[in-house]
């Protein structure tokens, strides 16, 4: 099983993904890092050179490959008797229709849902490497969330509200939710 983490920039997908992979002793993949490795460039450089549409094309290709990879060796956990892998998606990944289909069909998708206020707090001083957040950050978060919220909710098999929770608490909430399924 591949567990994917989606949600807006700054919701903690990568840190929660890493934490979960430690707790469950399984492989962790970070889609943004895989895109940078594939392109041999940082995300801001990719946006500067080929724009958002070029970035989304690489993102789709890398995601498609990532969720088809055979599972790396990992220990079975009591949570599931299947192999488990975790992938943190980019905040905009599922806005591409094909990516949303891949995520919905080939992964168990967890949406880390947060209010604009929480996201703005987390993203303070963290906008440098994020070309989608150019300009007034609070306003950009509000605009993009208005466009994206329904898509995040539609793609998710599980929704976790993260406001006021640490990465450890979010990881535990995901484990609890998976155990109840
Ligand atoms: C994006 C989010 C980023 C990265 C790119 C575009 C977005 O990932 O994929 O800058 O459109 O929301 P994070 O959510 O990990 O910051």
């Amino acid at each position: 099983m591949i567990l994917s983490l989606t949600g807006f920039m700054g919701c903690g997908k990568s840190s929660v993904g890493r934490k979960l992979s430690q707790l469950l002793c399984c492989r962790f993949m970070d889609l943004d890092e895989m895109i940078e490795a594939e392109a041999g460039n940082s995300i801001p450089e990719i946006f500067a050179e080929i724009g958002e549409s070029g970035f989304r094309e690489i993102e789709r290709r890398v995601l498609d490959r990532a969720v088809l990879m055979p599972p790396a060796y990992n220990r079975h956990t009591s949570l599931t008797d299947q192999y488990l892998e975790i992938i943190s998606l980019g905040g905009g990944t599922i806005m591409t229709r094909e990516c949303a289909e891949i995520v919905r069909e080939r992964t168990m998708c967890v949406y880390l849902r947060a209010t604009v206020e929480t996201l703005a707090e987390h993203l303070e001083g963290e906008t440098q490497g994020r070309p989608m957040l150019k300009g007034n950050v609070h306003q950009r978060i509000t605009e993009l969330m208005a466009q994206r919220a329904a898509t995040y909710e539609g793609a998710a098999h599980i929704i976790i509200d993260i406001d006021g929770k640490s990465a450890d608490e979010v990881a535990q909430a995901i484990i609890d939710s998976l155990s109840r399924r």
Side-chain angles (χ1 to χ4, degrees):
M1 173 173 108
I2 297 173
L3 190 81
S4 63
L5 299 176
T6 191
F8 201 81
M9 291 167 269
C11 71
K13 300 178 291 291
S14 301
S15 38
V16 169
R18 280 206 177 81
K19 180 62 51 194
L20 262 182
S21 75
Q22 285 163 8
L23 291 170
L24 300 173
C25 302
C26 63
R27 187 161 81 125
F28 171 66
M29 300 178 280
D30 182 307
L31 188 63
D32 284 340
E33 283 177 8
M34 295 171 94
I35 293 169
E36 291 184 325
E38 165 94 1
N41 245 336
S42 69
I43 289 178
E45 282 163 346
I46 300 171
F47 269 74
E49 280 174 23
I50 54 176
E52 185 183 351
S53 62
F55 171 81
R56 297 296 172 204
E57 177 48 35
I58 303 175
E59 183 175 51
R60 188 199 53 73
R61 199 168 65 227
V62 174
L63 174 69
D64 191 35
R65 212 163 46 207
V67 300
L68 277 184
M69 275 187 197
Y73 171 75
N74 50 35
R75 281 174 34 201
H76 288 271
T77 69
S78 56
L79 185 67
T80 167
D81 57 8
Q82 305 169 60
Y83 283 118
L84 180 68
E85 290 184 306
I86 295 166
I87 183 164
S88 67
L89 305 171
T93 309
I94 59 159
M95 299 304 132
T96 305
R97 195 177 44 80
E98 267 180 280
C99 290
E101 280 169 18
I102 292 172
V103 166
R104 187 79 203 165
E105 285 162 20
R106 297 193 220 155
T107 78
M108 163 89 70
C109 182
V110 181
Y111 170 30
L112 305 186
R113 184 165 61 186
T115 59
V116 171
E117 283 62 38
T118 297
L119 295 169
E121 224 172 85
H122 289 190
L123 286 165
E124 206 177 300
E126 298 288 332
T127 56
Q128 198 72 34
R130 292 183 161 110
M132 295 297 288
L133 290 179
K134 283 225 172 80
N136 180 307
V137 179
H138 199 280
Q139 194 181 319
R140 276 302 277 158
I141 299 172
T142 308
E143 280 167 13
L144 286 171
M145 269 304 272
Q147 293 165 19
R148 294 178 172 185
T151 309
Y152 289 134
E153 293 189 5
H157 300 97
I158 295 173
I159 299 178
I160 306 284
D161 285 306
I162 64 132
D163 302 298
K165 295 194 180 90
S166 66
D168 284 8
E169 287 167 337
V170 175
Q172 195 53 54
I174 295 172
I175 293 174
D176 293 345
S177 170
L178 286 170
S179 325
R180 284 197 299 270
R181 286 174 78 88

